[in-house]
Amino acid sequence: TGRFLTVECIDYSTYGKMYSGLRYFSYGIALGLPVAVTFADYVGIVAVVAGNSMRPTLNPAGSSARDVVWVSRRSLRHSQPHPGDIIALSSPTHPGTIIKRVVAVEGQLVHPRSCDVGCVVVPAGHCWVEGDNSKTSRDSNMFGVVSQGLILGRATHVVWPPQRWGRLDHQLLPSQSQRKEK
């Protein structure tokens, strides 16, 4: 009588399918992530507007949803910001991003809201930014002029909520234009 070796049959096809799925997922990440990062760096991003410092332009009173805006990075690649532009920038005082309106650019004079400071001349490579809601905005009136290197892009459209879809108005508010000299 001979001895027989018993071999258990293992179905490796399920392991191969799992490995194949993982491999394709890895390929998707390896190819998709650089494309997404490049798109965000060169074309634009979507940003959620928090707070009420840009009321009435963004997050208007009575709206239950936060505004979501398209921030175009391309629009500032070939031109400087102009008074009235709504921009996203890295906060000069704390980590994070803020959205404000450009009131004055290099070479222009602006009268800050605080009466104890006279005119401020915006130096080269900088701009003066303010929120549309002067009562709640932390802006250049608190932290001074900001470097244009902090600007991430120009907010061009409201993309959410659907009832507010549309292009943003890039005009200074009357209270802002009165304090700016040409």
Side-chain angles (χ1 to χ4, degrees):
T1 64
R3 291 187 169 176
F4 291 100
L5 181 63
T6 307
V7 177
E8 185 178 333
C9 224
I10 299 175
D11 182 13
Y12 287 103
S13 65
T14 57
Y15 293 110
K17 289 178 186 174
M18 185 173 70
Y19 175 73
S20 177
L22 184 61
R23 184 177 65 214
Y24 287 121
F25 178 75
S26 299
Y27 288 156
I29 294 293
L31 295 175
L33 190 60
V35 169
V37 169
T38 301
F39 185 85
D41 282 347
Y42 290 98
V43 178
I45 56 173
V46 183
V48 177
V49 180
N52 59 4
S53 70
M54 283 300 292
R55 279 188 181 154
T57 306
L58 298 172
N59 289 346
S63 177
S64 59
R66 289 182 177 176
D67 283 351
V68 178
V69 295
W70 174 253
V71 177
S72 172
R73 293 193 186 259
R74 278 186 81 128
S75 64
L76 288 177
R77 285 218 187 280
H78 304 292
S79 69
Q80 298 295 318
H82 301 286
D85 285 349
I86 298 172
I87 59 169
L89 64 147
S90 297
S91 172
T93 59
H94 62 277
T97 302
I98 57 176
I99 294 184
K100 302 293 177 196
R101 188 180 300 272
V102 175
V103 174
V105 294
E106 60 184 67
Q108 294 180 326
L109 297 171
V110 67
H111 297 278
R113 281 193 293 263
S114 69
C115 297
D116 57 343
V117 179
C119 281
V120 173
V121 178
V122 179
H126 292 74
C127 59
W128 185 273
V129 297
E130 292 183 0
D132 289 353
N133 185 352
S134 62
K135 294 178 182 139
T136 63
S137 181
R138 290 190 167 167
D139 51 30
S140 287
N141 288 289
M142 297 181 96
F143 48 72
V145 296
V146 295
S147 170
Q148 289 182 8
L150 295 176
I151 298 175
L152 304 173
R154 181 182 287 130
T156 59
H157 293 81
V158 174
V159 296
W160 193 262
Q163 64 270 23
R164 295 204 10 88
W165 282 350
R167 189 169 186 79
L168 288 170
D169 183 20
H170 290 277
Q171 299 296 319
L172 288 175
L173 298 180
S175 62
Q176 294 167 332
S177 60
Q178 290 171 355
R179 291 184 300 101
K180 180 186 137 275
E181 295 181 20
K182 301 210 185 259

